[in-house]
Each structure stands twice: as C-alpha cells, then as structure tokens.
Amino acid sequence: PIPTPDTPELDGKARIMDFKELTAAQLMAEMDAGWNLGNTMDALRSVYGLPTQHETAWGNPVTTPEMIQLLADTGFSTLRIPVTWEPHIGPDYTINAGWLDRVQEIVDYGIDCGLYVIINMHHEEWHFPSVENVEEAEAFLTAVWAQIAARFGGYSEKLIFEGLNEPRMKGTPQEWSGGTEQARAVINKWNLAFVQTIRAGAGHNDKRWLMVPTIAASADETPLKGFVKPRDDKVIVSIHSYTPYNFALNTRALQDTAFDPSNPAHTNDIDAMLKRLDTYFVSKGIPVVIGETGCLNKGNPEDRVNWAGYYSGKAASYGIPCIWWDNGIQQSSTGEAFGIMDRRNAEWWFPEIAEAFINARKQ
C-alpha cells in the first residue's frame, strides 16, 4: 500500500540516521557550493527499461561513487539529483521499485561522502498549473512524495526534498514571464500540499528541510511577488538563475562571451537578482538556494572562471548557496554545454571553474 498522511511509516529499505537540528543560517553556510547531476536521473525515455537505461538515455554514463567522491574532494558541499519520476509510476501512483532503489543508491553515494543531497521532481508533464488540473496533479504529487518520504524518512538533515522543479505554464506565452495570477496560486497550493505530505510522514520528515519554487523557479519580480511561502519554519525557497542571460544561458547569443567582474554592465543583472532575493526572503530570515546556475561553454574559459567566481561569491555575501547545472555536455553545436565534469573519468574538464565557484565563497 502507498503510505499516506493517515498511515505514516518508513519503507523497509530506509536507512536510519541521527538528525542534527540546524538554523537556516547554519544550513545555508554548510550547503555552500553544489553541483547538479543533470541529464541523468531526470532523462525521459519513452520505452521502459532498466533504471540504468533511463539513467544513460541522454548520453551520460552510469553514475559512480567515484564521480561523487570527486565533488567532495574538490570542496563541493551539496549534490542535487534531479529525478523524473513520471515514466516510473505505475497503477495507483506506485513508484517502480527498481527505480526507487537506484535513486537511493545515488543518494547514498552523496550521503556517504558527507555531502548534502537534494532530490526533486524534475521533467514531469502532469503539473500544468491550471484550476482544471489542480486536484489531479495534487493527487499525483502527494502520492508519489509520500512514497519518497517513506523510503528516505530515516535519513539525516543532509537529505533535502525539493517538491517541484520549474512548474510553469509550459507551451504558452506566459511560460517564462511569470505566468498568470491563477497559475501562481495553483503552484502555491501544490507547494503547501507537498510540505504537508512530508510533514505527515514518519522518521525525521516532521523536521526535514524542504525546498519549494516560485513559478518557473524564477527570481523575477512578478514570480517573487506572487509566491506564498508555506507556514513552516524549515522551508527553503528554490530559485534558478542563469544571469546575465545572454552570457550565461542564451544559445542564440554565442558571440556574447565576455565577463569582466569590474564592469557593471556585466555584473548589474547578477547584483539586481540577488538584491531582489534578499529583499523578499533573506532579509526576512527565509533561506534561499539557487538550485541551478551556470554559464555556457562558448570557448571562453577565462570569462567563465570570472563569472563563476563573481556570481558564487556575490551570492555567498547574502548567505545563498549556489548549485552548478552540469548536464554532462562539454561542447555542443546547439550551445547547451554546461558540463564541467568528465564523468567517464571522474575528473574535471574545467577544474578552474569548479575551484572558482567554490573558493569565491570563502573570501
């Protein structure tokens, strides 16, 4: 049977660990700089197969303990594991046992290296934020998260759950522009349902730190204004920000390769974004994690190092952890090249970027 808020219990495969209570400030300091295992457990596959077939469907190798040990050895503190659950859900919202086991294996790689680990719901297609869809999507959300909470309920404070990835009005003109007031209200409702589901679970789930996003995980003004934080003192706001857009993310601006930390024209967008997050959340004691950030490889390694150091260091001055988006792609004709780790050899393609991203936070 699926664990529900009425019958909280731990899955038999849950590891039982001690749980350390931390303030928000302590947690943010310990999470520090992180790295995403992108295009891996979040890959979509139309034909069902073994968990590792899904894991490698987008061209990345099977995840190994050596990859994750490299993160810890380099000085990263957090591993984010994007997970797409939808292809692995059967009747009555039951998660495929093999898939859940594989997610747990990778979580354990991070936990055993002393890292904070975040697991989420990533490329899901069931959560278009509309009034017509609100109840059906909430049923999926809560049933699946109840099972995840049962499996991981015994884990320590090092494991963090993130309810949704970038919930938005996909395929509409409002997809990346803040959505509608109705859509923002629906996402607020789902965020609350997620928190309540976890809190009703067994083990340490009554006190686990949880992440919830704004619409599209956006740091723009409209999404921040429309966000309603669940009434819970262990909720983190989840934000994604690849800024400035033309330098960091826009694949149609591959000629935009320069980043000079002393040039306000290059740094103003980063400064303004972080100031907004401080105004709406950090200054009010609400923790924020930038769960995805990074800059494309445009054959500009020095500028990328400059960007990584400036962005991460500036975020650290506000007490905001940053997690690099790594999709495992070093070079790409389409521009989608965020990879900095050579996963097949468990070494860095761009060690200078990794070091700048980490070391800037210690200054």
Side-chain angles (χ1 to χ4, degrees):
I2 298 173
T4 70
D6 298 323
T7 58
E9 58 186 35
L10 290 181
D11 186 302
K13 294 184 179 180
R15 290 175 64 182
I16 309 301
M17 306 175 188
D18 292 334
F19 193 101
K20 183 170 68 174
E21 294 281 3
L22 299 172
T23 66
Q26 289 171 330
L27 178 71
M28 296 300 98
E30 291 195 8
M31 291 181 71
D32 201 27
W35 180 89
N36 274 279
L37 184 71
N39 284 26
T40 306
M41 303 306 284
D42 54 317
L44 293 168
R45 189 177 173 90
S46 58
V47 179
Y48 192 77
L50 296 172
T52 52
Q53 290 178 286
H54 288 257
E55 183 176 349
T56 59
W58 284 355
N60 281 312
V62 171
T63 309
T64 65
E66 289 76 18
M67 295 178 196
I68 310 309
Q69 187 64 55
L70 177 63
L71 296 177
D73 291 346
T74 304
F76 282 100
S77 300
T78 299
L79 166 67
R80 183 170 179 259
I81 307 171
V83 182
T84 301
W85 301 90
E86 190 169 5
H88 311 280
I89 303 300
D92 299 322
Y93 306 113
T94 304
I95 303 172
N96 174 270
W99 182 250
L100 188 54
D101 289 347
R102 180 57 182 152
V103 172
Q104 185 175 12
E105 284 181 340
I106 300 176
V107 168
D108 287 346
Y109 297 162
I111 295 295
D112 292 343
C113 286
L115 300 175
Y116 280 89
V117 178
I118 301 166
I119 54 175
N120 76 344
M121 286 185 165
H122 208 76
H123 293 300
E124 312 287 334
E125 296 292 339
W126 47 267
H127 58 40
F128 187 92
S130 66
V131 170
E132 295 77 15
N133 189 39
V134 64
E135 291 185 6
E136 183 176 350
E138 187 170 315
F140 188 108
L141 176 81
T142 55
V144 174
W145 269 114
Q147 294 168 81
I148 300 168
R151 172 62 64 94
F152 293 102
Y155 279 63
S156 75
E157 77 288 345
K158 292 279 190 176
L159 181 61
I160 295 169
F161 298 152
E162 180 183 12
L164 293 167
N165 181 55
E166 293 174 350
R168 60 194 188 274
M169 300 177 70
K170 192 172 180 180
T172 75
Q174 296 84 25
E175 181 171 2
W176 298 110
S177 61
T180 63
E181 183 177 358
Q182 182 184 86
R184 295 189 293 273
V186 168
I187 291 167
N188 289 331
K189 186 176 188 301
W190 289 341
N191 283 339
L192 178 59
F194 158 70
V195 172
Q196 291 174 335
T197 298
I198 304 302
R199 292 292 177 249
H204 300 309
N205 288 319
D206 60 337
K207 53 187 180 253
R208 185 174 309 285
W209 286 93
L210 306 175
M211 291 172 61
V212 296
T214 60
I215 191 168
S218 173
D220 292 341
E221 193 80 22
T222 297
L224 297 185
K225 282 184 178 179
F227 175 80
V228 178
K229 175 184 169 291
R231 291 186 178 180
D232 187 292
D233 60 5
K234 288 195 170 182
V235 165
I236 303 162
V237 182
S238 176
I239 296 293
H240 298 172
S241 182
Y242 301 81
T243 310
Y245 173 67
N246 283 339
F247 174 83
L249 184 62
N250 189 358
T251 58
R252 297 182 179 180
L254 296 182
Q255 75 287 349
D256 196 333
T257 60
F259 188 87
D260 179 356
S262 65
N263 185 345
H266 295 173
T267 61
N268 281 344
D269 285 354
I270 297 172
D271 296 347
M273 179 271 295
L274 291 168
K275 181 61 178 175
R276 286 195 299 274
L277 296 180
D278 182 64
T279 298
Y280 279 92
F281 305 122
V282 178
S283 64
K284 299 176 181 178
I286 301 170
V288 174
V289 168
I290 297 178
E292 287 186 21
T293 191
C295 58
L296 295 167
N297 179 13
K298 301 177 182 179
N300 54 340
E302 291 184 9
D303 294 280
R304 295 178 82 203
V305 169
N306 289 340
W307 179 91
Y310 185 85
Y311 189 112
S312 188
K314 190 73 173 181
S317 73
Y318 287 98
I320 299 176
C322 293
I323 307 177
W324 184 278
W325 175 253
D326 191 321
N327 57 6
I329 302 173
Q330 180 188 13
Q331 295 178 321
S332 171
S333 60
T334 64
E336 288 282 354
F338 285 97
I340 59 173
M341 182 194 287
D342 175 0
R343 301 186 197 179
R344 285 175 172 79
N345 295 300
E347 60 187 29
W348 296 108
W349 281 319
F350 300 102
E352 300 87 354
I353 294 175
E355 290 164 5
F357 198 68
I358 295 165
N359 293 338
R361 308 184 66 85
K362 297 174 171 52
Q363 299 174 4

